[in-house]
Amino acid sequence: MNLEGLEMIAVLVVIVLFVKVLEQFGLLEATVEDSVEDELEMATVCHRPEGLEQLEAQTKFTKKELQILYRGFKNECPSGIVNEETFKEIYAQFFPQGDASTYAHFLFNAFDTDHNGSVSFEDFVMGLSVLLRGTIQDKLKWAFNLYDINKDGYVTKEEMLDIMKSIYDMMGKYTYPVLRDETPRQHVEIFFQKMDKNKDGVVTIDEFIDTCQKDENIMKSMQLFENVI
């Protein structure tokens, strides 16, 4: 895999791997055309209809879709929340020969929008709505938030390198030819220079979005998961 291929992974891996999380939760196997018995089950599980109505207004999911998502979420997370260790366990299953813990940590922090150490169903479905049903700009803003580790509104070269190293640790052993240890830094140098248009040493969200939108491959790939559920 060359630097260009790794560059695409850096932006798109959040969506690809999040779909893996959905598969783990069994959410991709459900359909909205359930039997009457299933609908009764959903009605009993969804004990906060006012919450679902609010989420319906805040997301791009229908109430039935939210009921299905909630049922799957509660089946896997009876407590109603997901902690960081759960994220790490999920990604460890998909990359047993790599180390996914650091990437899972960064991804968890991107979903934990109120920074309370847990991801609720509301956090989960809001992020899912962006990744699967959001506009290109919505998805890129979400990806930028992942890169912006300290949440100060800018992405530094060090932050981008930390994310790239975490992806390399998780996926590098699956590439052919095997990537050299210096590859993540080389990639960041090239990609960061492309994004940092005014050469001030940081990448703003506008610079990030503008660069990604001009990459035809990234734009095509961003649309792959719009009809997952």
Side-chain angles (χ1 to χ4, degrees), residues 96-127:
Q97 297 180 26
D99 181 1
S101 60
T102 303
Y103 180 81
H105 167 73
F106 292 141
L107 186 62
F108 178 83
N109 285 343
F111 273 95
D112 182 16
T113 53
D114 52 8
H115 310 298
N116 65 354
S118 63
V119 173
S120 65
F121 176 69
E122 288 79 7
D123 296 330
F124 177 81
V125 80
M126 292 289 284

Side-chain angles (χ1 to χ4, degrees), residues 112 138 163 167 172 179:
D112 182 16
D138 290 338
I163 296 292
I167 294 172
L179 296 173

Side-chain angles (χ1 to χ4, degrees), residues 90-101:
I90 290 171
Y91 284 104
Q93 293 177 38
F94 292 113
F95 301 94
Q97 297 180 26
D99 181 1
S101 60

Side-chain angles (χ1 to χ4, degrees), residues 56-96:
E56 184 180 7
Q58 294 174 335
T59 68
K60 297 181 183 296
F61 296 122
T62 66
K63 190 171 182 179
K64 271 191 174 181
E65 288 172 330
L66 288 168
Q67 288 174 327
I68 292 170
L69 289 169
Y70 187 70
R71 180 178 60 182
F73 188 89
K74 288 290 286 184
N75 283 343
E76 291 296 326
C77 311
S79 66
I81 60 173
V82 178
N83 58 29
E84 186 172 331
E85 286 306 310
T86 301
F87 263 68
K88 290 181 178 180
E89 290 170 5
I90 290 171
Y91 284 104
Q93 293 177 38
F94 292 113
F95 301 94

Side-chain angles (χ1 to χ4, degrees), residues 26-27 29-53 62-75 121:
L27 299 182
E29 298 173 1
T31 66
V32 294
E33 282 140 10
D34 290 303
S35 66
V36 173
E37 181 179 348
D38 285 339
E39 292 207 14
L40 287 173
E41 179 187 349
M42 285 187 283
T44 59
V45 171
C46 301
H47 59 277
R48 291 174 53 197
E50 70 283 359
L52 290 179
E53 289 171 1
T62 66
K63 190 171 182 179
K64 271 191 174 181
E65 288 172 330
L66 288 168
Q67 288 174 327
I68 292 170
L69 289 169
Y70 187 70
R71 180 178 60 182
F73 188 89
K74 288 290 286 184
N75 283 343
F121 176 69

Side-chain angles (χ1 to χ4, degrees), residues 207-221:
E207 289 174 325
F208 182 88
I209 291 175
D210 183 62
T211 303
C212 292
Q213 284 184 323
K214 290 178 179 177
D215 189 306
E216 183 179 352
N217 290 324
I218 289 179
M219 290 301 95
K220 287 180 179 178
S221 300

